[in-house]
Amino acid sequence: MKISAFFCTVLTLLCSHAFASDPTARFAWFEYQGKDAVYEKKPAEGHFQNPIFSGFYPDPSITRAGDAFYMVTSSFAYFPGVPIFKSTDLVNWQPLGYILDRPEQLNIKDAGVSRGVFAPAIRYHNGTFYMITTNVDGGGNFIVTATDPAGDWSNPIFLPEIDGIDPSMFFDDDGKVYITHNGPPPGEPLYDGHRAIWMWEYDVKQQKVVKNSAKLLVNGGTDLAKKPIWIEAPHIYKINGWYYLMCAEGGTADKHSEVIFRTRSLAEPFVPYENNPILTQRDLDPARKNPIATAGHADMVQTSAGEWWAVFLATRNYDQDYFNIGRETFLLPVTWKDGWPHILPAKTEIPYQLPKPKGLPTTENAVTLTGNFKWVDDFSKPALGFEWNVLRTSDSNPYELGNGKGVLLKARKVSMADSVQPAFIGRRQQHHTYEASTRLALPLKENVTAGLVVFQSEQAHYFIAAQKVPGKKPKYRVVLEKAEQSAPAAIHIIEIPKVRSHVDFKVEGDEGKIAFYYRADGDKKWKPVGKTLDGKILSTQKAGGFVGTYLGLHARID
């Protein structure tokens, strides 16, 4: 696995007395366990589990190099940015690290959590990997390249001519290279959500867009008269003499879909398929059991055995249209009819389990990314694992690894509600039903608040933490804070009468319900902090944005 340079901090030995004199919080371990009922039935022999990436892994893009497949997903304001995975069987995946793992590649110092990096696309051509994406507030569209996808990627090559998001690259047989993207329509928009798909020629050697090469491919969507919204995520493929243009349409909520166009020549118009969309879940009863919804934003790849498969985003909902875990990555076979690809028939539910791709060798060094699992980190390795991210970038690292003494967060005067980097590390919530816990070492400096955070956005999160009570005797209190479309505020404060060395925190989530607990040194049982609370405030439906919930560790100076 590629180890990010950002995570490789060499440390001297740390002594416990230093923790009290510095604004530092030390956490000994972190544990996460998923308990979704839909995962209780294991796939039959020769079958696989959907989603293949559970939790916040949206906007997947895939490419093939030889016998291996490589996939990337969006990362928004989390750092390192753009996770990259490798597979030989399309089902099991090995994390290779992150493409944007150096701050000079990704300026997101003050980005909101749902800003930053939108919709990467990955392609392989003549020994080089290309990743193209958008930093929406930090320079716009850009390309990075690598010959080893697990190695260092280049610094960004910015494309100032391209206005919009969701860029993708296409390498034609004649040597020409094109970039497609979502952008403003020609003239004034005719309605809210009116967008267009554009194409530019790109000079790989000069690393520049060819001037005056912009071409309008799609205005509005499959039928402008019906006022389609948010045509985006375009990918071009050349298959059996046809150029296919596949796009998302309908927005990323419950009307999301995937549509297809084709043409014999890029000099001629793309014609929409009369049986569009080729993937959607909007034509199903939202009250169905264990619904998968919002399907779209797809990419396709062909195996060495000749099969075509599509990866795409969708959501697993509870109470019809709520989801806290973000948009996930799913896998389905592509079938062909009369020269057109089909990902899923109309009015058909996306299956949770189905047969694996044929004739592909099992992926080596794969990690568990779906199903129910238990995950524990004691922070004993020299770098944080792939699962962890920080929020935004800064000039200094917000954590240190303590040479077997856990992870140390260097508390800052920054809360999770602020728009600069907090002292925070987090991992994805990948299940609707789950629990997570951690151990915080004591003592703490008097002005430090540290503990476990459940974070969806700056205005939607919970934080259970310890604070030292002012006074000569070492007393502590547990504070539970809540942000619900507002600044965080304390909703429960409990004084701990006697603490020797640590306090543990735990969160239990069950779809739209969430509960918090603490266990002081010497306690045998967990003690609740208040009653069960509203977990729906962490859902995209209420919190807004494009990300899923993160579970992690946070320390701040008050």
Side-chain angles (χ1 to χ4, degrees):
M1 180 187 297
K2 175 183 174 184
I3 302 297
S4 166
F6 179 79
F7 284 147
C8 294
T9 304
V10 180
L11 303 172
T12 58
L13 290 175
L14 295 165
C15 299
S16 61
H17 70 268
F19 304 146
S21 60
D22 295 327
T24 303
R26 178 169 66 92
F27 295 87
W29 47 260
F30 184 93
E31 181 176 304
Y32 173 84
Q33 186 169 5
K35 303 177 180 181
D36 282 355
V38 74
Y39 289 147
E40 290 178 356
K41 182 182 177 182
K42 301 295 183 182
E45 183 69 25
H47 287 60
F48 72 91
Q49 179 75 57
N50 258 329
I52 55 171
F53 291 3
S54 181
F56 167 57
Y57 287 107
D59 309 324
S61 177
I62 192 168
T63 194
R64 178 181 146 203
D67 293 328
F69 305 93
Y70 298 85
M71 185 149 59
V72 294
T73 64
S74 290
S75 52
F76 294 90
Y78 286 101
F79 187 81
V82 186
I84 180 169
F85 304 84
K86 178 182 179 180
S87 176
T88 52
D89 61 14
L90 287 175
V91 171
N92 303 289
W93 293 81
Q94 173 197 2
L96 296 181
Y98 292 84
I99 290 177
L100 305 176
D101 62 356
R102 305 187 305 276
E104 62 264 29
Q105 293 174 302
L106 184 59
N107 177 14
I108 48 173
K109 285 187 175 183
D110 56 0
V113 68
S114 284
R115 303 297 290 178
V117 173
F118 281 21
I122 188 169
R123 292 294 182 259
Y124 174 76
H125 182 72
N126 285 348
T128 299
F129 290 86
Y130 299 81
M131 192 280 292
I132 185 170
T133 190
T134 313
N135 183 352
V136 292
D137 301 311
N141 294 284
F142 66 91
I143 297 170
V144 291
T145 64
T147 54
D148 177 4
D152 290 332
W153 288 68
S154 71
N155 282 336
I157 303 162
F158 282 98
L159 309 167
E161 301 87 351
I162 295 180
D163 176 19
I165 60 171
D166 295 3
S168 182
M169 300 183 75
F170 169 64
F171 296 83
D172 205 350
D173 298 339
D174 60 4
K176 290 187 176 182
V177 182
Y178 299 93
I179 294 173
T180 54
H181 66 99
N182 155 302
E188 292 295 321
L190 301 178
Y191 51 87
D192 187 28
H194 179 200
R195 298 291 283 177
I197 300 299
W198 296 86
M199 182 176 73
W200 300 71
E201 188 176 347
Y202 180 70
D203 188 325
V204 172
K205 291 183 179 180
Q206 296 294 322
Q207 297 184 340
K208 292 182 179 180
V209 169
V210 176
K211 290 184 178 180
N212 302 318
S213 63
K215 181 180 180 181
L216 178 67
L217 299 185
V218 176
N219 185 6
T222 52
D223 185 349
L224 185 60
K226 294 181 179 180
K227 297 183 178 181
I229 61 171
W230 302 116
I231 190 77
E232 57 192 3
H235 297 297
I236 291 180
Y237 315 87
K238 191 172 186 181
I239 305 168
N240 296 330
W242 287 96
Y243 293 92
Y244 292 89
L245 173 65
M246 190 167 71
C247 305
E249 186 182 273
T252 58
D254 59 330
K255 302 303 181 184
H256 205 197
S257 71
E258 197 70 16
V259 295
I260 195 80
F261 308 76
R262 74 179 184 182
T263 182
R264 282 290 188 184
S265 169
L266 292 180
E268 298 175 0
F270 276 94
V271 177
Y273 183 33
E274 63 180 7
N275 291 320
N276 275 319
I278 60 172
L279 168 68
T280 193
Q281 297 285 271
R282 68 189 181 204
D283 51 6
L284 298 171
D285 182 359
R288 64 194 184 278
K289 186 178 180 180
N290 297 322
I292 298 172
T294 73
H297 202 114
D299 198 2
M300 294 194 303
V301 71
Q302 187 178 32
T303 72
S304 57
E307 292 184 338
W308 283 89
W309 288 78
V311 293
F312 58 93
L313 71 80
T315 56
R316 291 183 294 125
N317 294 4
Y318 65 90
D319 291 352
Q320 295 191 18
D321 56 2
Y322 291 93
F323 55 94
N324 297 26
I325 52 181
R327 299 168 297 162
E328 307 178 301
T329 291
F330 290 74
L331 175 71
L332 284 179
V334 178
T335 58
W336 293 81
K337 182 178 180 181
D338 299 327
W340 292 96
H342 293 250
I343 300 174
L344 196 70
K347 298 182 179 180
T348 302
E349 293 187 31
I350 295 169
Y352 276 97
Q353 297 176 1
L354 66 158
K356 294 179 180 180
K358 296 177 182 177
L360 300 181
T362 301
T363 303
E364 297 180 357
N365 301 315
V367 301
T368 301
L369 292 164
T370 190
N372 288 330
F373 58 83
K374 183 177 181 180
W375 181 86
V376 179
D377 194 344
D378 63 1
F379 305 109
S380 60
K381 295 180 180 179
L384 281 182
F386 171 85
E387 296 83 358
W388 293 104
N389 293 113
V390 300
L391 188 57
R392 310 182 186 93
T393 53
S394 72
D395 295 331
S396 61
N397 202 332
Y399 70 90
E400 294 177 351
L401 290 173
N403 200 15
K405 296 178 181 289
V407 64
L408 285 77
L409 293 187
K410 297 177 280 187
R412 299 173 172 177
K413 291 184 178 180
V414 179
S415 79
M416 297 303 295
D418 293 322
S419 59
V420 293
Q421 187 183 76
F424 161 82
I425 62 170
R427 61 149 296 147
R428 291 162 175 81
Q429 177 189 328
Q430 294 180 272
H431 303 79
H432 284 304
T433 303
Y434 71 95
E435 65 178 51
S437 56
T438 191
R439 172 163 294 174
L440 171 67
L442 299 174
L444 285 177
K445 195 173 181 180
E446 197 166 284
N447 62 345
V448 172
T449 299
L452 175 66
V453 63
V454 184
F455 179 80
Q456 205 277 356
S457 74
E458 295 84 358
Q459 292 79 39
H461 58 267
Y462 286 99
F463 181 35
I464 182 170
Q467 294 175 334
K468 187 177 180 182
V469 178
K472 293 183 179 180
K473 293 184 179 181
K475 288 186 178 181
Y476 291 86
R477 58 190 171 211
V478 170
V479 179
L480 178 59
E481 297 179 351
K482 176 184 179 181
E484 182 181 0
Q485 297 304 310
S486 64
I491 57 174
H492 291 289
I493 300 176
I494 300 173
E495 188 168 309
I496 308 173
K498 184 179 180 181
V499 177
R500 290 189 294 272
S501 65
H502 66 261
V503 60
D504 299 339
F505 297 114
K506 182 172 73 166
V507 57
E508 292 182 349
D510 185 11
E511 297 184 338
K513 300 176 182 178
I514 193 167
F516 293 89
Y517 304 84
Y518 79 96
R519 183 177 60 191
D521 182 16
D523 291 340
K524 293 183 179 180
K525 295 183 178 180
W526 290 99
K527 297 180 180 180
V529 180
K531 297 181 180 180
T532 299
L533 298 167
D534 182 11
K536 286 185 177 178
I537 70 167
L538 306 173
S539 68
T540 299
Q541 190 78 353
K542 285 197 170 185
F546 305 117
V547 300
T549 301
Y550 264 61
L551 308 165
L553 311 174
H554 173 47
R556 72 166 188 255
I557 298 174
D558 294 316

